[in-house]
């Protein structure tokens, strides 16, 4: 019999609806049940495309014996972190504070008052590498709860008090200046990997937000060092296995320092952010590689993530059927020399193997290789390579495809709207702008309510019950502002203004100018989450600062600009110390420091000049002196060819 999760809309929760575990969704009723029975709560948090979430589900939550023990001694609550980022953030903070690390699946044991007292991530079904088995953990927690309950509740209360006392250095209300931004750049230079691109060691994540800062810093100051770090990192990623060399789009991260072997899940937010990064890199350098990757990534999002309703799905799984009924990570994407020969014949297979770095030894498991571009593209015949790509892509399409998480997340769709609108404008692709408009229409129709605010998710044309968090308001406003610039339609500016009104009244601390991740009237958790640092996406705090700043530039609103500048005080405090983790805030600070600037607008039509520069499309038809985006129109010149 299906459990309670069968009534949910989250694909992740539905994956567990047939577990023998008597799962509850996050709800007051679940904690009331724990109080009534006098048992602790197992909180398990993950997401649909998480490989280790699937592993733990197969090993433990599908096991009848383990499920029976859970059902007897615990109330088990399953949460989709993408649907409830507020719940995830609060308990991840506790996990990281207690253990020094975190990840998913996140496994937390709570009192019936939702206070945490024992933490972990993945637990194996049998003891392994010093880790206890999941059954051992369950038995230990049950024994502690039954024999030392007062001690357990005291520990839980202390953890909650300690979390409440953790403070963020707001940095005052003064925006970062030249000195802080220069210090941030120096800090990034120290952590930069000059041989491989990127920052730090393995695993390596695409540093999208940091690259935005580097590109903006270069644009403002002319720093060649900033541009080189951005350009070299983008080239390394684009030529590595983290980029899908056949179908476009990026995997979540690279397990090695060289960008060769990815963790194969593909997330909407990564691809939206990177699509925009490569488009901006093209704008700065004219790089053909950057242009190709930006367009291919945009096409990937539209082709593989667009839903029937016009929005964009959240993710593609890392795992897929390898043809034998087993779900294996990367099965859809990797190739052996033999597979190349079967599809292409011996001569073209040899060409493909050389071009894509496919070897007999392989770069992945069981002698398979992740496609990459180890050679310079110029030494190969372009037409033959294009033919090879088409044939391999056609053959790959016959393989069992990875599963897709079809829920539409407002924030990530906002990022996709901005990326598609700008990419469509830069490269004369009106179809991409149309896709951005369709997604924006869906958000307005299903997710937005002028009074109640924004719903975080929808699926199959139905809005979810979870309220939007700060990143939803900020990123959707960002997307609408990009559309306003590209299309010249004022309605998108109006919608952005409505969302930012909610930010100012429900998310901003009026005394400090800092921002909370949840609204003042949101569900009360053990702590109101608040985090200015980036994670996989820009922090809601600094994303809101960026949207407020852009809206002020569009409208001349001093109130919005003041709110943005007050919010950037935290970047002044953290930027010089941890620049890798506040890249979006640094990028916004660059825009604030740069200020409005005069530009000359040239071009005969939107369709023609959209391919040249977004500023032109944003400013076409504007009167001299008008403020649009972050630029002031100095002159409008018709029929003048531009670069």
């Amino acid at each position: 019999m299906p459990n309670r999760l069968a009534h949910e809309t989250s694909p992740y929760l539905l994956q567990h609806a047939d577990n023998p575990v008597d799962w509850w969704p996050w709800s007051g009723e679940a904690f009331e049940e724990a109080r009534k029975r006098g048992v602790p709560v197992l909180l398990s948090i993950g997401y649909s495309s998480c490989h280790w979430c699937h592993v733990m589900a197969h090993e433990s939550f599908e096991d009848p014996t383990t499920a029976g023990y859970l059902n007897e001694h615990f109330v088990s609550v399953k949460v989709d972190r993408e649907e409830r980022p507020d719940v995830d953030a609060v308990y991840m903070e506790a996990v990281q504070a207690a253990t020094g690390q975190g990840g998913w699946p996140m496994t937390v044991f709570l009192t019936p008052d939702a206070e945490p007292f024992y933490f972990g991530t993945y637990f194996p079904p049998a003891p392994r590498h010093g880790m206890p088995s999941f059954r051992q953990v369950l038995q230990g927690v049950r024994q502690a709860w039954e024999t030392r309950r007062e001690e357990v509740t005291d520990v839980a209360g202390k953890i909650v008090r300690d979390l409440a006392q953790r403070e963020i250095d707001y940095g005052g209300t003064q925006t970062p200046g030249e000195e802080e931004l220069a210090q941030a750049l120096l800090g990034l230079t120290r952590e930069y990997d000059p041989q491989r691109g990127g920052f730090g060691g393995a695993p390596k994540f695409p540093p999208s937000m940091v690259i935005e800062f580097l590109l903006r810093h270069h644009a403002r100051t002319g720093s060649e060092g900033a541009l080189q770090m951005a350009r070299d990192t983008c080239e390394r990623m684009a030529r590595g296995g983290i980029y899908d060399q056949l179908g476009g789009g990026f995997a979540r991260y690279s397990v090695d320092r060289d960008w060769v072997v990815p963790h194969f899940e593909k997330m909407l937010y990564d691809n939206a952010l990177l699509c925009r990064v490569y488009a901006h890199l093209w704008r700065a350098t004219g790089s053909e590689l950057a242009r190709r990757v930006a367009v291919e990534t945009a096409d990937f999002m539209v082709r593989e993530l667009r839903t029937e309703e016009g929005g964009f799905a959240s993710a593609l799984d890392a795992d897929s059927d390898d043809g034998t009924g087993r779900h294996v990570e990367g099965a859809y994407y990797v190739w052996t020399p033999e597979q190349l020969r079967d599809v292409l014949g011996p001569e073209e297979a040899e060409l493909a193997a050389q071009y894509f770095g496919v070897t007999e030894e392989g770069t992945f498991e069981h002698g398979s290789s992740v496609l990459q571009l180890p050679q310079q593209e110029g030494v190969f015949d372009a037409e033959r390579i294009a033919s090879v790509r088409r044939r391999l892509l056609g053959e790959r399409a016959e393989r069992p495809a990875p599963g897709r998480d079809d829920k539409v997340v407002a924030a990530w769709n906002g990022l996709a709207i901005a990326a598609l609108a700008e990419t469509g404008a830069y490269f004369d692709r009106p179809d991409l702008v149309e896709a951005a408009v369709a997604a924006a229409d869906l958000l307005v129709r299903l997710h937005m309510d002028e009074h109640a605010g924004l719903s975080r998710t929808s699926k199959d044309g139905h809005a979810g019950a979870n309220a939007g968090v700060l990143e939803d308001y900020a990123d959707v406003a960002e997307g609408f502002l990009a559309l306003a610039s590209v299309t010249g339609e004022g309605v998108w500016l109006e919608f952005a203004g409505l969302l930012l009104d909610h930010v100012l009244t429900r998310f901003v601390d009026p005394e400090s100018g800092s921002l909370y991740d949840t609204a003042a009237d949101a569900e009360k958790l053990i702590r109101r989450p608040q985090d200015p640092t980036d994670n996989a996406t820009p922090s809601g705090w600094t994303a809101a600062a960026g949207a407020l700043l852009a809206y002020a530039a569009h409208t001349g609103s001093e109130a919005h600009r003041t709110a943005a500048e007050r919010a950037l005080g935290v970047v002044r405090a953290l930027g010089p110390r941890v620049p890798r983790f506040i890249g979006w805030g640094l990028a916004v600070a660059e825009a604030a420091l740069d200020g409005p600037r005069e530009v000359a607008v040239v071009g005969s039509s939107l369709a023609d000049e959209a391919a040249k520069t977004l500023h032109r499309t944003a400013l076409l038809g504007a009167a001299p002196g008008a403020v649009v985006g972050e630029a002031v129109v100095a002159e409008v010149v018709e029929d003048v060819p531009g670069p």
Side-chain angles (χ1 to χ4, degrees), residues 383-399:
E383 290 187 7
R384 288 182 69 192
I385 292 299
S387 173
V388 164
R389 283 182 191 272
R390 286 193 298 270
R391 292 167 66 186
L392 291 179
L393 187 61
E395 178 67 20
R396 193 178 77 175
E398 300 299 317
R399 296 176 175 179

Side-chain angles (χ1 to χ4, degrees), residues 277-292:
V277 159
Y278 280 88
H280 292 170
L281 178 63
W282 170 84
R283 185 176 64 183
T285 66
S287 162
E288 172 59 24
L289 177 65
R291 184 207 64 78
R292 177 174 66 80

Side-chain angles (χ1 to χ4, degrees), residues 243 245 288-297 373 377 389:
Y243 183 68
Q245 303 296 342
E288 172 59 24
L289 177 65
R291 184 207 64 78
R292 177 174 66 80
V293 171
V295 171
E296 288 179 355
T297 303
L373 299 182
E377 295 182 59
R389 283 182 191 272

